[in-house]
């Protein structure tokens, strides 16, 4: 797994000029069967400091209703660079040190909103 919660790598950072501006990521993690409660606590522990980060526009954590091992995170950052810096913050250190013990699968993807609230029609891709 990459060294941040959202999985941003140096390759992703190099691609940022292609999609400048705000970044939305969906991150899906799957807890090991005996680590569901630990996973939930680990994610909850980073939620407050992440949300307090001035470069974080939104950070939400969801747990699958049918598969409690599966979590989805919605991360909205002012930029890819801000997301990368988030992964280097002190509050992420414990998560990064223990993530491989807690989670057995990981997937992150960049997404863009095509019909924001109040738009009424599909927005042009940026």
């Amino acid at each position: 797994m990459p060294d941040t919660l959202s999985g941003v790598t140096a390759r992703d950072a190099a691609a940022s000029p292609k999609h400048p501006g705000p970044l939305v990521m969906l991150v899906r993690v799957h807890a090991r069967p005996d680590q569901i409660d630990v996973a939930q606590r680990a994610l909850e522990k980073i939620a407050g400091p992440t949300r307090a980060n001035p470069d974080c526009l939104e950070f939400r954590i969801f747990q699958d209703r049918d598969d409690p091992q599966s979590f989805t995170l919605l991360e909205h950052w002012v930029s890819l660079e801000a997301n990368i810096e988030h992964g280097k913050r002190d509050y992420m250190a414990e998560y990064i040190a223990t993530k491989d013990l807690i989670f057995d699968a990981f997937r992150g993807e960049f997404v863009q909103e095509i019909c924001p609230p109040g738009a009424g029609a599909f927005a042009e891709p940026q």
Side-chain angles (χ1 to χ4, degrees):
M1 272 192 248
D3 288 338
T4 67
L5 177 65
S6 57
V8 176
T9 64
R11 177 187 56 81
D12 297 326
S16 69
K18 181 179 175 186
H19 299 287
L23 167 78
V24 177
M25 290 191 69
L26 293 178
V27 179
R28 292 183 172 86
V29 292
H30 191 264
R32 296 179 186 281
D34 61 338
Q35 297 292 308
I36 297 170
D37 291 338
V38 174
Q40 185 173 346
R41 285 192 304 274
L43 295 172
E44 289 172 349
K45 187 173 183 177
I46 62 168
T50 299
R51 291 175 179 144
N53 182 327
D55 292 330
C56 179
L57 303 173
E58 183 177 16
F59 183 79
R60 298 177 70 181
I61 304 167
F62 302 90
Q63 187 174 24
D64 191 297
R65 295 173 99 178
D66 296 322
D67 178 7
Q69 289 177 253
S70 295
F71 297 86
T72 300
L73 290 76
L74 178 125
E75 299 185 28
H76 189 181
W77 295 92
V78 297
S79 67
L80 177 59
E81 292 77 12
N83 179 264
I84 292 169
E85 288 303 311
H86 153 71
K88 297 175 184 177
R89 301 279 176 116
D90 289 343
Y91 60 82
M92 292 296 293
E94 183 179 348
Y95 167 82
I96 291 169
T98 60
K99 67 182 174 13
D100 291 335
L101 301 173
I102 300 170
F103 301 103
D104 59 13
F106 169 91
R107 188 176 89 214
E109 57 190 333
F110 300 104
V111 297
Q112 69 182 30
E113 190 169 19
I114 60 171
C115 190
F122 287 108
E124 291 294 320
Q126 295 182 4

